[in-house]
Amino acid sequence: MSATRRMGLGALALGLLAPFVGEPRRAVSGALDFDAIARAIDDGADHVSARQLASWIRARKPGLRVLDVRDAKAFAEDAIPTAENLTIDRLVGAVFKPGETVVLYSQEGAHAGQAWVLLKALGVADAVFVPGGLADWWEEVMSPVLPADMPVAERETAADLSRYFGGFPQVGLVVSGGAPAPAPTPYRRRGC
Amino acid sequence: MNELLVTAAIGIAFGWTLERAGLGDPPKLSGQFYLRDFTVLKVMMSALVTAMLGAFWLGRLGLVDTGRFYVPETFLLPQLVGGLVFGLGFVLSGLCPGTSCVALASGRGEGGATVLGLLAGMATVGLAFPSLEGFYGATPMGAMTLPHLTGLSYGAVVAVVTVSCIGLLAAIGQWEARR
Amino acid sequence: MPRPYVDPYLSGVSLGLVLLGCFALSGQGLGASGAFANLASHAAGAFTKNAWIDGYLSRGWASWTVVEVCGLIVGAGLSAWLAGRLSVARPPAPRGRLLAATAGGVLMGVGAALARGCTSGLALSGGALLSVGAWVFMLALFAAGFLAAPLLRRLWA
């Protein structure tokens, strides 16, 4: 029997056996890696601040993919630039290319956090979420209150980033008497 | 750096295999469409069956995680039309994008000509993209696979594809023997 | 005398194993047109910007496929040299065939851009993972090839 025929018969055998052995296991990453997830949550590798995300978007970080897990109506009203709308139920069937950094956000962060665990269970390695969600985006990027005692260079960078996205950075002004102006009260308690 | 080396090594192995099979030779490749030389189908079918069976069985044995393999997204209409246009170009040039690089590396003029054409064609699409965008994104189906589409199990589709490909190769062998 | 080509079935199985290794190591299949799309985008990006071009610009020059295709050229050149195929005195390709090759390249460039892949990246790599689009592309490719071939008989006579 020629080598060619033997290869062909081998392939046929493997192919015909395939229907009877079940599905390939997705288990290796399909199973939750509890330790890795706990470690990521512990050391903060699970999330990214709204301001950091803004600088990634501006720098066109390669492979960045921003996902809005809210419903289509909320997404249509207001969303982070470059984001795509992918509700949690559609997340399961989504495809993530190797090398993609997936950033999840929701209105206030809880749903994005849950979606993050889901992605980890699906084996997406490089995923993070914005803890305060869209609310954080507004507070940290679109209308940040930059304390007057912040180093000037740092303050300028933050203000510049805000203006890039059409935001209105406010600097806690120092009035003539030397006492800092009362900072506008944030409209939401800062979480996380 | 390490990743870069791995990628380059994969490319070297890829180019080596194509060249050894004779796939840098335009008359040989175009011979497929005149039923003179079946190298293209033979190499492609056996590579496809090998990789498909390998992915299925290694995944089944838990040695690799097939869930992490990137499945190209399906956009039915642009891929159908793209395939038709591509096939016409394939006969004209006697090379495809990968094999044009092989032909170029083995010092054939057709390789260089095809490479230049490919760059021009791609750049044309890039420049004309605003008017092509609607068609480019038409009929999206996501990472649709044959098991998903047909409702058959992964293993059953693997069996069907294996039998069809090996059957086709066996038929080609018989036809060649008779001539 | 150059060495004879390797048996096509053996080549096919080796290619399949290379593809399998590629999947295991990088998570994606072998590709070629992606490198052309990337370089063409960088050239076209000098004149205009749009979603397609930006998609490649954001990955930079040295994307995965560009590095891989550079390796491909090195590997193919090495193989041709060691098999004695570089030193063979070949008559230069006739001008008609060079023109046809350029035109074919343009068509394949357009086709691969529309389909998001070529024979290696879409048909072979996607086909092995049973992607529907990959199989549609592969069948369309061979259908068009076999239909067009009789019209181009003179080119390959």
Side-chain angles (χ1 to χ4, degrees), chain B residues 19-20 34 70 106 126 136 146, chain C residues 27 50 79 90 116 130 149:
Chain B
E19 206 285 332
R20 285 285 142 140
Y34 298 98
Y70 171 63
S106 39
Y136 181 77
L146 293 172
Chain C
N50 56 49
S79 164
R90 266 192 299 264
R116 300 160 168 79
L130 306 175

Side-chain angles (χ1 to χ4, degrees), chain A residues 64-141:
Chain A
L64 179 66
R65 192 164 166 199
V66 186
L67 298 181
D68 187 323
V69 299
R70 300 170 306 152
D71 58 20
K73 187 167 162 283
F75 180 74
E77 276 166 14
D78 180 24
I80 293 179
T82 73
E84 59 184 293
N85 191 204
L86 203 66
T87 48
I88 293 190
D89 53 319
R90 287 189 9 236
L91 211 54
V92 181
V95 193
F96 298 96
K97 293 180 201 167
E100 264 181 354
T101 304
V102 180
V103 181
L104 301 151
Y105 75 89
S106 56
Q107 194 63 40
E108 296 225 325
H111 276 121
Q114 292 166 329
W116 178 81
V117 178
L118 200 61
L119 281 194
K120 284 283 151 180
L122 290 170
V124 179
D126 199 359
V128 287
F129 69 100
V130 183
L134 196 61
D136 257 11
W137 175 267
W138 276 96
E139 214 169 280
E140 290 178 16
V141 180

Side-chain angles (χ1 to χ4, degrees), chain C residues 42-154:
Chain C
H42 276 84
F47 303 100
T48 178
K49 291 268 184 293
N50 56 49
W52 194 80
I53 290 176
D54 288 348
Y56 287 100
L57 290 186
S58 68
R59 279 173 237 177
W61 275 101
S63 70
W64 190 90
T65 28
V66 172
V67 176
E68 183 229 16
V69 167
C70 290
L72 192 167
I73 293 174
V74 172
L78 210 62
S79 164
W81 177 53
L82 291 176
R85 279 191 274 275
L86 282 183
S87 51
V88 178
R90 266 192 299 264
R95 174 178 288 210
R97 208 173 271 179
L98 288 179
L99 281 176
T102 314
V106 172
L107 287 177
M108 286 191 286
V110 172
L114 284 179
R116 300 160 168 79
C118 61
T119 13
S120 25
L122 186 58
L124 180 59
S125 307
L129 296 183
L130 306 175
S131 154
V132 174
W135 281 87
V136 167
F137 176 77
M138 191 173 0
L139 295 177
L141 182 171
F142 280 106
F146 280 113
L147 284 176
L151 305 174
L152 298 166
R153 202 170 279 279
R154 278 182 53 203

